[in-house]
Amino acid sequence: MARIRLFAGAADILGASELTLEAATAGELRRLLVAGHGASAEQVVSRCSLMVDGVRAAEDDHPVQADSLVDVLPPFAGG
């Protein structure tokens, strides 16, 4: 199962800073993260970026492996 690290609002709304989930793609992982947590969780997670093994998962079909490390990062601004 992939190791999922949650930060900021995602960790708050999902009630954990780390999870393990089995998903084949980034889109499936997003669906699993919000399942059972309601519309608020969907709003938060949909705004987050997913980094799968250090690579931004820009598309829902981005692969997630069983041994992947996935960071769920909130939107942030920088300069």
Side-chain angles (χ1 to χ4, degrees), residues 25-28 30 50 52 56-64:
T25 65
E28 182 181 3
R30 282 186 192 276
L50 299 183
V52 179
R56 184 170 178 262
E59 304 294 328
D60 281 348
D61 62 351
H62 188 100
V64 176

Side-chain angles (χ1 to χ4, degrees), residues 3-4 6 17 21-22 28-29 37 40 45-46 50 52-53 55 57-58 60 64 66 69-70 72-73 76-77:
R3 180 177 162 209
I4 317 302
L6 304 154
S17 61
L21 294 170
E22 189 170 332
E28 182 181 3
L29 179 61
H37 289 93
S40 295
V45 172
S46 69
L50 299 183
V52 179
D53 298 322
V55 177
D60 281 348
V64 176
L69 173 62
V70 181
V72 181
L73 302 171
F76 56 91

Side-chain angles (χ1 to χ4, degrees), residues 32-52:
L32 289 171
L33 285 171
V34 301
H37 289 93
S40 295
E42 186 172 356
Q43 289 174 353
V44 170
V45 172
S46 69
R47 291 186 177 108
C48 291
S49 295
L50 299 183
M51 296 290 290
V52 179

Side-chain angles (χ1 to χ4, degrees), residues 11-22:
D12 289 343
I13 203 154
L14 297 176
S17 61
E18 192 168 308
L19 301 167
T20 54
L21 294 170
E22 189 170 332

